[in-house]
Amino acid sequence: MATPSSYRPAQGSIPTKPGVYRFRDAKGRVIYVGKAKSLRPRLSSYFQDIGNLHPRTASMVTTGASVEWTVVDTEVEALQLEYSWIKEFDPRFNVKYRDDKSYPWLAVTVGDEFPRVMVGRGAKRKGTRYFGPYSHAWAIRETVDLLLRVFPMRSCSNGVFKRSAQIGRPCLLGYIDKCAAPCVGNVSPDEHREIVDDFCDFMGGNTTAFTKRIERQMYAASEALDFEKAARLRDDLGALTKALEKQAVVLGDGTDADVIALAEDPLEVAVQIFYVRGGRIRGQRGWVADRTDEGGTPELVQDFLLQLYGGVGVDDGGETIPREVLVPALPPDADVLEVLLGERRGSKVSIRVPQRGDKRDLQQTVANNASQALMLHKTKRASDLTTRNRALEEIQKALALDEVPLRIECYDVSNLQGTEVVASMVVFEDGLSRKSEYRRFVIRGVDGQNDVASMHEVITRRFKRLLDEQARSETVSTDSGPMLVDPETGRPRKFAYAPGLVVVDGGPPQVAAAQEALAELGVTDIPVCGLAKRLEEVWLPGEEDPVIMARTSEGLYLLQRIRDEAHRFAINHHRSRRSKSMVESMLDDVPGLGEVRRKTLLKHFGSLKKLREADADAIALVPGIGPRTATAIKDAVAKADATRKTHATSPAVNTATGELIEED
């Protein structure tokens, strides 16, 4: 553990201008990013007597080994740079409001020729307009089902759309008038685009114009004695009214605003946000984050607003940032944030604290939701952070490691009777998975079924890459000593980040192979262990007896989670490659069917199962496939299926684990 005085900048060397600063640990990793109106007083506050610092701040400065800063011209630039660095380095001591992917969005793929409305989850994509997020997917689906009667736009998947276009008949939605059926040319792309635009306007809050228009059309049809049309418009109006009833009016003035509230305790903070558009609540979302510094509510609000809106730009349509943001306390740099958000939206944005009336009442409702969310989080995940720390400490103690393994990499090998041998690498940091750093390997240097040799190859390739990355990095002198960084980005590459522990799926042979591979590369400072699945024994290199961890041990549970995740990742990769290779092998004897058309065939149907189910006429619709070739393909698939059924009594087994591998 370092002392802050060992890397304190020289007296007077810190500028008094606005800027952004980074604390790094002894390995060069950025652990905290902050900004300041004046760098000198802000940074100097970190190097006072540790006893006067907040415990979390004291932990950060003692973990750090160096500090650096960048001077900018304005506070807006400082905010932008702070957001960019937090996204780039993911510092462990910054408050991080993790994006919960479980919240569903209503998405319209406006970038497609025939846009589709659908309910989705996860990160946003370009070329798609989003509404929400919402609390429950079923509620959105009910609303969409009602609105498709009035706005009959496409809602089917690409596969259904293409199939309907091929056979010349629309799907069921086309027959019950909940889709205009652009797949069979019932409407032109421009006509369908008009329907989509009306749907988006309605979902965006422009509801009154549509209800009044349909009302006028209904009365006009009634006066013209066209009662059938009038009845249909009446039902459409009822569908719109029912959809609007699902969204309560909370602000009578038709305000567009994001209403934000926090619930705090000394360790964690819960944030809730209500999305109000046109005076109606269009969506709700919540986050829970660990508190990592001594900042109060204003600082927490500023961090949240920066992370929520920092990645939004005018190119996104500006719809994500409303005209008004209601918060429980003004952030320290409210004026600067308003300028930044205004630039991102393309028009003025107001950040304020509601004092009275409906807006104040609504924020109190949001605050009650935040309090409930924090209480539920503590109930469900009580001592979760403590549990993870205890698990890592138990692993360190059981394996006699020099330090707690904050980064653990696990490797698994999967094959089918010696064919399509693949391996996986999964990464856990601080007891949590880092899926962005997972890697897949295809074993090329081993013939047949040899899990030990395969493990040797994958460990060799991964750590040879580590050494290569380190060799290509640039050595930079810092206050904490020399550090290897990427010359372009100024930070270590992902593969240059050495793990604190390597775990292999298997017993002594696999562990010995991994240790031998590291030794051949000259890597001697990375510990290795293996987890044998049968008895959950932990094996160390060169040891005759395994390490037995208690069944109730949090450390053993963490190792099991990591091993099972590596196994899942390897099996998924193996199945994907096996499906492609089976298509290629069964079609080898089809005359005139080369590699390009085989790929086209697989891309068209999407999977081997759908190719088996297709008849010769459907296969003939694939570009480049004629009727004669389609018949030959169908015969080859039928022959392969017959051969597969003959060998059905000999199930495929994953030789690394003894588990059955079923066909897709």
Side-chain angles (χ1 to χ4, degrees):
M1 182 177 294
T3 58
S5 59
S6 65
Y7 63 93
R8 179 173 185 167
Q11 189 81 16
S13 63
I14 308 175
T16 57
K17 294 184 177 180
V20 184
Y21 54 91
R22 295 180 291 189
F23 279 85
R24 294 180 181 268
D25 63 10
K27 294 185 178 180
R29 291 170 293 187
V30 175
I31 59 172
Y32 185 75
V33 171
K35 74 162 190 62
K37 295 180 182 179
S38 177
L39 285 168
R40 181 176 296 174
R42 179 58 177 157
L43 283 176
S44 298
S45 68
Y46 288 104
F47 297 98
Q48 58 180 295
D49 184 2
I50 292 182
N52 297 330
L53 295 175
H54 189 280
R56 285 180 290 273
T57 305
S59 176
M60 187 271 290
V61 297
T62 53
T63 303
S66 64
V67 63
E68 57 196 42
W69 56 84
T70 298
V71 175
V72 296
D73 293 330
T74 66
E75 293 179 51
V76 174
E77 290 181 13
L79 272 176
Q80 292 173 328
L81 183 57
E82 181 189 21
Y83 170 78
S84 300
W85 278 358
I86 290 175
K87 293 290 286 184
E88 179 181 358
F89 297 111
D90 191 21
R92 57 179 298 194
F93 283 100
N94 280 90
V95 177
K96 291 183 280 292
Y97 298 93
R98 298 294 185 183
D99 193 6
D100 191 337
K101 305 302 183 188
S102 65
Y103 286 87
W105 299 86
L106 179 63
V108 180
T109 58
V110 294
D112 295 344
E113 181 184 8
F114 295 103
R116 170 195 177 195
V117 60
M118 60 183 178
V119 178
R121 301 174 188 266
K124 294 182 178 181
R125 300 179 179 177
K126 289 186 178 180
T128 302
R129 186 171 179 183
Y130 292 88
F131 301 94
Y134 300 90
S135 300
H136 303 288
W138 58 264
I140 318 175
R141 293 191 178 97
E142 285 185 0
T143 301
V144 171
D145 188 58
L146 289 169
L147 294 180
L148 286 179
R149 176 187 178 87
V150 186
F151 309 104
M153 63 177 292
R154 173 194 164 204
S155 60
C156 61
S157 65
N158 291 333
V160 173
F161 187 85
K162 290 179 181 179
R163 180 168 177 79
S164 296
Q166 291 169 355
I167 64 178
R169 295 196 308 271
C171 63
L172 177 62
L173 293 177
Y175 285 109
I176 62 175
D177 296 328
K178 287 193 174 180
C179 179
C183 54
V184 294
N186 285 1
V187 293
S188 66
D190 291 338
E191 292 171 334
H192 186 262
R193 179 70 63 172
E194 290 179 5
I195 298 173
V196 173
D197 291 342
D198 287 345
F199 176 87
C200 291
D201 287 345
F202 183 86
M203 291 302 302
N206 187 16
T207 58
T208 306
F210 287 103
T211 54
K212 288 184 176 180
R213 186 179 73 184
I214 292 178
E215 221 171 30
R216 288 196 303 268
Q217 293 174 351
M218 179 181 67
Y219 288 129
S222 178
E223 291 175 1
L225 305 182
D226 189 351
F227 298 115
E228 183 177 349
K229 181 179 179 181
R232 187 172 64 252
L233 291 170
R234 177 203 62 200
D235 294 340
D236 290 349
L237 185 61
L240 289 181
T241 303
K242 190 173 181 180
L244 289 173
E245 287 174 353
K246 294 178 178 293
Q247 300 168 335
V249 176
V250 291
L251 300 176
D253 57 357
T255 300
D256 289 347
D258 284 353
V259 187
I260 298 168
L262 280 69
E264 311 169 41
D265 70 10
L267 296 177
E268 294 176 307
V269 54
V271 182
Q272 285 281 316
I273 176 171
F274 279 18
Y275 301 91
V276 180
R277 300 294 183 268
R280 297 176 182 271
I281 298 176
R282 301 292 182 177
Q284 173 189 359
R285 203 166 194 177
W287 294 260
V288 177
D290 295 329
R291 297 189 65 164
T292 53
D293 56 38
E294 71 275 20
T297 300
E299 288 77 16
L300 290 172
V301 169
Q302 178 156 307
D303 288 340
F304 178 71
L305 294 180
L306 186 61
Q307 293 187 40
L308 180 65
Y309 299 124
V312 179
V314 178
D315 294 339
D316 300 320
E319 66 216 29
T320 306
I321 303 179
R323 291 192 295 268
E324 192 173 10
V325 179
L326 305 179
V327 295
L330 283 178
D333 303 316
D335 295 340
V336 180
L337 264 174
E338 285 183 345
V339 174
L340 177 63
L341 299 189
E343 291 177 354
R344 298 294 172 99
R345 173 182 167 84
S347 60
K348 185 178 179 181
V349 175
S350 172
I351 301 174
R352 67 187 192 87
V353 180
Q355 301 296 329
R356 63 183 67 86
D358 292 340
K359 293 180 180 179
R360 175 64 182 171
D361 293 340
L362 178 58
Q363 190 174 66
Q364 186 58 49
T365 301
V366 181
N368 292 337
N369 277 266
S371 299
Q372 288 289 326
L374 183 60
M375 182 184 68
L376 287 174
H377 171 77
K378 287 188 169 296
T379 301
K380 292 179 180 178
R381 304 185 62 184
S383 72
D384 179 66
L385 179 61
T386 304
T387 301
R388 294 202 311 270
N389 290 339
R390 186 167 68 248
L392 293 172
E393 289 171 358
E394 288 180 0
I395 293 173
Q396 179 192 15
K397 184 177 179 180
L399 304 184
L401 304 179
D402 294 334
E403 58 184 20
V404 173
L406 296 180
R407 178 185 173 101
I408 302 176
E409 295 180 1
C410 184
Y411 298 84
D412 183 31
V413 175
S414 178
N415 67 81
L416 177 64
Q417 298 175 352
T419 62
E420 294 293 339
V421 185
V422 299
S424 66
M425 163 186 149
V426 301
V427 179
F428 274 57
E429 288 190 352
D430 293 329
L432 298 175
S433 63
R434 296 275 291 190
K435 294 190 176 181
S436 62
E437 299 190 22
Y438 285 13
R439 294 293 184 270
R440 298 185 178 99
F441 298 86
V442 177
I443 304 300
R444 299 186 177 91
V446 179
D447 294 330
Q449 178 182 330
N450 191 333
D451 294 336
V452 174
S454 299
M455 184 63 71
H456 184 280
E457 177 181 326
V458 69
I459 295 294
T460 299
R461 287 167 57 183
R462 187 271 183 266
F463 288 93
K464 187 175 185 299
R465 174 74 178 273
L466 178 141
L467 298 176
D468 290 343
E469 292 281 13
Q470 292 179 345
R472 289 200 300 267
S473 298
E474 182 181 33
T475 302
V476 178
S477 297
T478 65
D479 294 339
S480 59
M483 181 178 64
L484 292 173
V485 300
D486 188 308
E488 296 181 359
T489 64
R491 62 190 180 99
R493 295 185 175 95
K494 288 183 178 180
F495 260 74
Y497 186 0
L501 176 65
V502 169
V503 181
V504 298
D505 183 12
Q510 286 82 3
V511 174
Q515 183 68 25
E516 181 184 355
L518 290 174
E520 290 173 355
L521 294 172
V523 178
T524 59
D525 57 346
I526 298 178
V528 179
C529 75
L531 186 60
K533 190 164 189 178
R534 182 166 173 262
L535 298 176
E536 302 296 5
E537 299 167 331
V538 180
W539 290 92
L540 295 176
E543 298 291 337
E544 294 183 1
D545 299 318
V547 176
I548 305 298
M549 301 179 71
R551 288 285 177 171
T552 57
S553 165
E554 290 293 339
L556 179 60
Y557 176 68
L558 177 58
L559 290 176
Q560 290 171 330
R561 281 181 52 215
I562 297 172
R563 188 269 318 280
D564 293 344
E565 177 69 355
H567 175 64
R568 179 199 65 81
F569 197 52
I571 287 295
N572 287 346
H573 184 205
H574 185 271
R575 284 175 175 165
S576 174
R577 289 187 57 82
R578 182 162 51 90
S579 178
K580 293 179 181 179
S581 65
M582 289 179 69
V583 171
E584 293 175 357
S585 62
M586 73 169 55
L587 300 180
D588 278 344
D589 296 332
V590 178
L593 192 66
E595 181 180 354
V596 173
R597 289 205 283 178
R598 279 203 301 265
K599 289 182 179 179
T600 303
L601 194 67
L602 185 60
K603 182 179 180 181
H604 178 85
F605 288 101
S607 70
L608 183 59
K609 181 179 179 181
K610 291 182 178 180
L611 176 60
R612 287 191 179 116
E613 294 173 351
D615 55 23
D617 292 338
I619 297 174
L621 295 174
V622 178
I625 306 293
R628 182 179 298 177
T629 305
T631 302
I633 292 172
K634 186 62 181 176
D635 292 343
V637 172
K639 181 179 178 181
D641 285 345
T643 303
R644 183 171 59 91
K645 291 177 181 178
T646 301
H647 296 286
T649 55
S650 301
V653 177
N654 177 2
T655 56
T657 64
E659 294 183 355
L660 294 180
I661 300 179
E662 297 180 359
E663 291 289 337
D664 294 330

